[in-house]
Amino acid sequence: RCSWNDANPDGSHVYALSHMPTHMLRAKRIKECCTLLRNEFFIRGRIYSMGFQEAVDQHVSDVEALYEEMLNATVQLDLDEPNDVMQDSYEKLADAIKRGKKLHDLSNGVDFDESDHSSAAATTHENRRCTGLLAGTLFHRLAYSLAQKNNWAPAIGLYRSSENLISSELGEETEIVASILYSMGWIFFEMDDYEKSASALKDCLYILNALRTDAYAKTATKSFPLTQIQFRQELYKAKALAKLGEVMAIMSEYDSAIEYYEKSFDILKKEPNRNRMEMSMVLHGKGLAYYWKNGEKEDLEQAMKCFEQSLRFKQVILGFSDIGLASTYEQMGNVMVEMGETSAAVPLYDEALRIIKQVELPTQEQETDIMTMQGALCCINGYYDKGISLYSKITNIMKRKMGYQEEKVACIFNLMAKAYEKTNKKKQACAMYEKCLKLRKSAVGIDHLKVASTLYDMAMMFHKRGKPTRALECLEESRRIRIDRLGNSVPVAETLQQLGNSSKLAAQYEEQNSKPESFLSKRRRFPRYEAAINFYE
């Protein structure tokens, strides 16, 4: 029986510790490799043999290779999910790192763990100890690997451990702590925890601003070009501002989002030749914030201007047929549809489709993008049933293969509802709006402006179906959200006007059998008329 963590391994033992997982994967012994990489004694043996840094690098490389093999296996494997295997292996590796940190902290370097009777436990070999700074760096390495595979929750835990250890060793206001906070903000965003994402990104920016002040205080004149370190820190700051803009836009804080995007762009344009791609992404995000804002003409025009500028930057870098251009063409088409210029949207959607279809092996996300634009084109040309069929297929693909991405599916339900409206299928339209509303409340929160828009659209359909009471319920909730978020604005005025219309309709239903009388006199006998007048006023 092999003892992986022998105190004095020979050459063959060292070779096996280093290379056995690679040989197992080449031989397609995936199950055995899965067991080995989760064996805590094998992990300790690697550390004793190689030292912490090399052992962690090798182990992460092996686990990531195993992950890919499990993901691409052509036969059914009786194993845990790849993400679970990765998480379990990294948890055991993290425990070994903590053990090494404890050994380092003890004054005599000996771990008095009586439950471990191996000879290695009683030694004080340097490979068995781990400084706090090294432990923090290694946790960062594990967290990054988990994040790359969308294993969000364990990644956050390791990033927190990394932040605490590195802060205690180097202080809080360091570039590496800022980078950890940026990564945490990015992960919280992917987990739909936007408040925590914004908090982490703001902490990151606080540190970067402090570092920038220190750097410029030591510079004789600002006419000097940025040093490499200063350029990197400025780029970090621009990325953090852009990500914060994205978070604010998702939270429907559109004015704040636009402000953050503009600050990011101001930093990037100082070095335009080096930052052209980042500038295009910031402009794209700013365009989305304007597009989602109020639906007013000036906002949509600003959105179009941003997308056009973003497209020009991308074309300089990527050419005219790169896949990176497709999303911008698609958004430009969406703006044209929102502005009522559907004929101008068609060539934009066509160009986006041309680019995506050039990809030999499109991802599932790209396939759904193709179907979404095809559905939009069908509806523009009046083929609503075909469009609805395509949208329905998209929701099924997202449920089965891509994970149930709530906001994306909600958008598709919204498109289906509008297509049903065009075919005068009011009941089906209401059903789609209700599905959209449920998902949006779950994805972005009950006070989001997209929720308010969906409630307003639902109310319009209930009003058309002769159900003013249901319409009023939706409109009241929509009004509350819009007033809180937008104050005195066109969407609020539209909501109040529709409240007046639905209140008037409800009052008419109440007094259908009463004798005719003027509208203003009815307000005394039917309170809904009174409410309608208040809303109109």
Coordinates of all heavy atoms in Angstrom, one line a residue, residues 403-450:
G403 N -28.9 26.4 -18.3 CA -29.2 26.9 -16.9 C -30.3 27.9 -17.1 O -30.4 28.6 -18.1
Y404 N -31.2 28.0 -16.1 CA -32.4 28.9 -16.3 C -32.0 30.3 -15.9 O -32.1 30.8 -14.8 CB -33.5 28.4 -15.3 CG -34.9 28.8 -15.7 CD1 -35.4 28.4 -16.9 CD2 -35.6 29.6 -14.9 CE1 -36.7 28.8 -17.3 CE2 -36.9 30.0 -15.3 CZ -37.4 29.6 -16.5 OH -38.7 30.0 -16.8
Q405 N -31.5 31.0 -17.0 CA -31.1 32.4 -16.8 C -32.3 33.3 -16.7 O -32.9 33.7 -17.8 CB -30.1 32.8 -17.9 CG -28.9 31.8 -18.0 CD -28.1 32.1 -19.3 OE1 -27.6 33.2 -19.5 NE2 -28.0 31.1 -20.1
E406 N -32.7 33.7 -15.5 CA -34.0 34.3 -15.3 C -34.3 35.5 -16.1 O -35.3 35.7 -16.7 CB -34.2 34.5 -13.8 CG -34.3 33.2 -13.0 CD -34.6 33.5 -11.5 OE1 -34.1 34.6 -11.0 OE2 -35.2 32.7 -10.9
E407 N -33.4 36.5 -16.1 CA -33.6 37.8 -16.8 C -33.7 37.5 -18.3 O -34.5 38.1 -19.0 CB -32.6 38.8 -16.4 CG -32.7 40.1 -17.2 CD -34.1 40.7 -17.1 OE1 -34.9 40.5 -16.2 OE2 -34.4 41.5 -18.1
K408 N -32.8 36.7 -18.8 CA -32.8 36.4 -20.3 C -34.1 35.7 -20.7 O -34.6 36.1 -21.7 CB -31.6 35.6 -20.6 CG -30.2 36.3 -20.6 CD -29.1 35.5 -21.1 CE -27.8 36.3 -21.0 NZ -26.6 35.4 -21.5
V409 N -34.5 34.8 -19.9 CA -35.8 34.1 -20.2 C -36.9 35.1 -20.1 O -37.9 35.0 -20.9 CB -36.0 32.9 -19.3 CG1 -37.3 32.2 -19.6 CG2 -34.9 31.8 -19.5
A410 N -36.9 35.9 -19.1 CA -37.9 37.0 -18.9 C -38.0 37.8 -20.2 O -39.1 38.2 -20.6 CB -37.6 37.8 -17.7
C411 N -36.9 38.2 -20.7 CA -36.9 39.0 -22.0 C -37.6 38.3 -23.1 O -38.3 38.9 -23.9 CB -35.5 39.4 -22.3 SG -34.7 40.6 -21.3
I412 N -37.3 37.0 -23.2 CA -38.0 36.2 -24.3 C -39.5 36.1 -24.1 O -40.3 36.3 -25.0 CB -37.3 34.8 -24.4 CG1 -35.8 34.9 -24.6 CG2 -38.0 34.0 -25.4 CD1 -35.5 35.6 -25.9
F413 N -39.9 35.9 -22.8 CA -41.3 35.9 -22.5 C -42.0 37.2 -22.9 O -43.1 37.3 -23.3 CB -41.6 35.6 -21.0 CG -41.5 34.1 -20.7 CD1 -40.9 33.7 -19.5 CD2 -42.0 33.1 -21.5 CE1 -40.8 32.4 -19.2 CE2 -41.9 31.8 -21.2 CZ -41.3 31.4 -20.1
N414 N -41.2 38.3 -22.6 CA -41.7 39.7 -22.9 C -41.9 39.8 -24.5 O -42.9 40.4 -24.9 CB -40.7 40.7 -22.4 CG -41.3 42.1 -22.6 OD1 -42.3 42.5 -22.0 ND2 -40.6 42.9 -23.4
L415 N -41.0 39.3 -25.2 CA -41.1 39.3 -26.7 C -42.3 38.5 -27.2 O -43.0 38.9 -28.1 CB -39.8 38.8 -27.3 CG -38.6 39.8 -27.2 CD1 -37.3 39.0 -27.7 CD2 -38.7 41.1 -27.9
M416 N -42.5 37.3 -26.5 CA -43.6 36.5 -26.9 C -44.9 37.2 -26.6 O -45.9 37.1 -27.4 CB -43.5 35.2 -26.1 CG -42.4 34.3 -26.6 SD -42.2 32.8 -25.6 CE -43.7 31.8 -26.1
A417 N -45.0 37.9 -25.5 CA -46.2 38.6 -25.1 C -46.5 39.7 -26.1 O -47.7 39.8 -26.5 CB -46.0 39.2 -23.7
K418 N -45.5 40.4 -26.6 CA -45.8 41.5 -27.5 C -46.2 40.9 -28.9 O -47.0 41.5 -29.6 CB -44.5 42.3 -27.7 CG -44.2 43.2 -26.4 CD -43.1 44.1 -26.6 CE -42.8 44.9 -25.3 NZ -43.9 45.7 -24.8
A419 N -45.6 39.7 -29.2 CA -46.0 39.1 -30.5 C -47.5 38.6 -30.4 O -48.3 38.7 -31.4 CB -45.1 37.9 -30.8
Y420 N -47.9 38.1 -29.2 CA -49.3 37.7 -29.0 C -50.2 38.9 -29.1 O -51.3 38.8 -29.6 CB -49.5 37.0 -27.7 CG -49.1 35.5 -27.7 CD1 -48.2 35.0 -26.8 CD2 -49.8 34.6 -28.6 CE1 -47.9 33.6 -26.8 CE2 -49.4 33.3 -28.6 CZ -48.5 32.8 -27.7 OH -48.2 31.4 -27.7
E421 N -49.8 40.0 -28.6 CA -50.6 41.3 -28.7 C -50.9 41.6 -30.1 O -52.0 42.0 -30.5 CB -49.8 42.4 -28.1 CG -49.9 42.6 -26.6 CD -49.4 43.9 -26.1 OE1 -49.9 44.9 -26.5 OE2 -48.4 43.9 -25.3
K422 N -49.8 41.5 -31.0 CA -50.0 41.8 -32.4 C -51.0 41.0 -33.1 O -51.7 41.4 -34.1 CB -48.7 41.8 -33.1 CG -47.6 42.8 -32.7 CD -48.0 44.2 -33.0 CE -47.0 45.2 -32.7 NZ -47.4 46.6 -33.1
T423 N -51.2 39.7 -32.6 CA -52.1 38.8 -33.2 C -53.5 38.8 -32.5 O -54.3 38.0 -32.7 CB -51.6 37.4 -33.2 OG1 -51.3 37.0 -31.9 CG2 -50.3 37.3 -34.1
N424 N -53.6 39.8 -31.6 CA -54.9 40.0 -30.8 C -55.2 38.8 -29.9 O -56.4 38.6 -29.6 CB -56.1 40.3 -31.8 CG -57.1 41.1 -31.1 OD1 -56.9 41.9 -30.2 ND2 -58.4 40.9 -31.5
K425 N -54.2 38.1 -29.5 CA -54.4 37.0 -28.5 C -54.1 37.5 -27.1 O -53.0 37.3 -26.6 CB -53.5 35.8 -28.9 CG -53.8 35.2 -30.3 CD -52.9 34.0 -30.6 CE -53.3 33.4 -32.0 NZ -52.4 32.3 -32.4
K426 N -55.1 38.2 -26.6 CA -54.8 39.0 -25.3 C -54.6 38.0 -24.2 O -53.8 38.3 -23.3 CB -56.0 39.9 -25.1 CG -56.3 40.9 -26.2 CD -57.4 41.8 -25.8 CE -57.8 42.8 -26.9 NZ -58.3 42.2 -28.1
K427 N -55.3 36.9 -24.1 CA -55.2 36.0 -23.0 C -53.8 35.4 -22.9 O -53.1 35.4 -21.9 CB -56.2 34.9 -23.1 CG -56.2 34.0 -21.9 CD -57.4 33.0 -22.0 CE -57.4 32.0 -20.8 NZ -58.5 31.1 -20.8
Q428 N -53.3 35.0 -24.1 CA -51.9 34.4 -24.1 C -50.9 35.5 -23.8 O -49.9 35.2 -23.2 CB -51.6 33.8 -25.5 CG -52.4 32.6 -25.8 CD -53.8 32.9 -26.5 OE1 -54.4 33.9 -26.3 NE2 -54.2 32.0 -27.4
A429 N -51.1 36.7 -24.3 CA -50.2 37.8 -24.0 C -50.1 38.1 -22.5 O -49.0 38.2 -21.9 CB -50.6 39.1 -24.7
C430 N -51.3 38.1 -21.8 CA -51.3 38.3 -20.4 C -50.5 37.1 -19.6 O -49.7 37.4 -18.7 CB -52.7 38.3 -19.8 SG -53.5 39.9 -20.1
A431 N -50.7 35.9 -20.1 CA -50.0 34.8 -19.5 C -48.5 34.9 -19.6 O -47.7 34.6 -18.7 CB -50.4 33.5 -20.2
M432 N -48.0 35.4 -20.8 CA -46.5 35.6 -21.0 C -46.0 36.7 -20.1 O -44.9 36.6 -19.6 CB -46.3 35.9 -22.5 CG -46.4 34.7 -23.4 SD -45.4 33.3 -23.0 CE -46.6 32.1 -22.4
Y433 N -46.8 37.8 -20.0 CA -46.4 38.9 -19.2 C -46.3 38.5 -17.7 O -45.4 38.9 -17.0 CB -47.4 40.1 -19.3 CG -47.2 40.9 -20.5 CD1 -48.2 41.3 -21.3 CD2 -45.9 41.4 -20.8 CE1 -48.1 42.1 -22.4 CE2 -45.7 42.2 -21.9 CZ -46.8 42.6 -22.7 OH -46.6 43.4 -23.8
E434 N -47.2 37.6 -17.3 CA -47.2 37.1 -15.9 C -45.9 36.3 -15.6 O -45.3 36.4 -14.6 CB -48.4 36.3 -15.6 CG -49.7 37.3 -15.4 CD -51.0 36.5 -15.2 OE1 -51.0 35.3 -15.6 OE2 -51.9 37.1 -14.7
K435 N -45.6 35.4 -16.6 CA -44.3 34.6 -16.5 C -43.1 35.6 -16.5 O -42.2 35.3 -15.7 CB -44.2 33.7 -17.7 CG -45.2 32.5 -17.6 CD -44.9 31.5 -18.8 CE -45.8 30.3 -18.7 NZ -45.6 29.4 -19.8
C436 N -43.1 36.6 -17.3 CA -42.0 37.5 -17.4 C -41.9 38.2 -16.0 O -40.8 38.4 -15.5 CB -42.3 38.5 -18.5 SG -41.1 39.9 -18.6
L437 N -43.0 38.7 -15.5 CA -43.0 39.4 -14.2 C -42.4 38.6 -13.1 O -41.6 39.0 -12.3 CB -44.4 39.9 -13.9 CG -44.6 40.6 -12.6 CD1 -43.9 42.0 -12.7 CD2 -46.1 40.8 -12.2
K438 N -42.9 37.3 -13.0 CA -42.4 36.4 -11.9 C -40.9 36.3 -12.0 O -40.2 36.3 -11.0 CB -43.1 35.1 -12.1 CG -42.7 34.1 -11.0 CD -43.4 32.8 -11.1 CE -43.0 31.8 -10.1 NZ -43.7 30.5 -10.2
L439 N -40.3 36.1 -13.2 CA -38.9 35.9 -13.3 C -38.1 37.2 -13.1 O -37.1 37.1 -12.5 CB -38.6 35.4 -14.8 CG -39.0 33.9 -15.1 CD1 -38.7 33.6 -16.5 CD2 -38.2 32.9 -14.2
R440 N -38.7 38.3 -13.5 CA -38.0 39.6 -13.3 C -37.9 39.9 -11.9 O -36.9 40.4 -11.4 CB -38.7 40.7 -14.1 CG -38.2 40.6 -15.6 CD -38.5 41.9 -16.3 NE -37.7 41.9 -17.6 CZ -38.1 42.5 -18.7 NH1 -39.3 43.1 -18.8 NH2 -37.3 42.4 -19.7
K441 N -39.0 39.7 -11.1 CA -39.0 40.0 -9.7 C -37.9 39.1 -9.0 O -37.2 39.6 -8.1 CB -40.3 39.7 -9.1 CG -41.3 40.8 -9.4 CD -42.7 40.6 -8.7 CE -43.6 41.7 -8.8 NZ -44.9 41.5 -8.1
S442 N -37.8 37.9 -9.4 CA -36.7 37.0 -8.8 C -35.3 37.4 -9.2 O -34.4 37.4 -8.4 CB -37.0 35.6 -9.3 OG -36.0 34.7 -8.8
A443 N -35.2 37.9 -10.5 CA -33.8 38.1 -11.0 C -33.3 39.5 -10.6 O -32.1 39.6 -10.2 CB -33.8 38.0 -12.6
V444 N -34.1 40.5 -10.7 CA -33.6 41.9 -10.4 C -34.2 42.6 -9.3 O -33.9 43.7 -9.0 CB -33.7 42.8 -11.7 CG1 -32.9 42.2 -12.9 CG2 -35.2 42.9 -12.1
G445 N -35.2 42.0 -8.6 CA -35.8 42.6 -7.4 C -37.2 43.2 -7.8 O -37.5 43.6 -8.9
I446 N -38.0 43.4 -6.8 CA -39.4 43.9 -7.0 C -39.5 45.3 -7.3 O -40.5 45.8 -7.7 CB -40.3 43.5 -5.7 CG1 -39.7 44.2 -4.5 CG2 -40.3 42.0 -5.5 CD1 -40.6 44.1 -3.3
D447 N -38.4 46.1 -7.1 CA -38.5 47.6 -7.3 C -37.7 48.0 -8.5 O -37.3 49.2 -8.6 CB -37.9 48.3 -6.0 CG -38.8 48.1 -4.8 OD1 -40.0 48.0 -5.0 OD2 -38.3 48.0 -3.7
H448 N -37.4 47.1 -9.4 CA -36.7 47.4 -10.6 C -37.6 48.0 -11.7 O -38.8 47.7 -11.8 CB -36.0 46.1 -11.2 CG -34.9 46.4 -12.1 ND1 -35.1 46.7 -13.4 CD2 -33.6 46.3 -12.0 CE1 -34.0 46.9 -14.0 NE2 -33.0 46.6 -13.2
L449 N -37.0 48.9 -12.5 CA -37.8 49.6 -13.5 C -38.3 48.6 -14.6 O -39.4 48.9 -15.2 CB -37.0 50.7 -14.1 CG -36.9 52.0 -13.3 CD1 -35.9 53.0 -13.9 CD2 -38.2 52.7 -13.0
K450 N -37.6 47.6 -14.8 CA -38.1 46.6 -15.8 C -39.3 45.9 -15.2 O -40.2 45.5 -16.0 CB -37.0 45.5 -16.0 CG -35.9 46.0 -16.9 CD -34.9 44.9 -17.3 CE -33.8 45.4 -18.2 NZ -32.8 44.3 -18.6

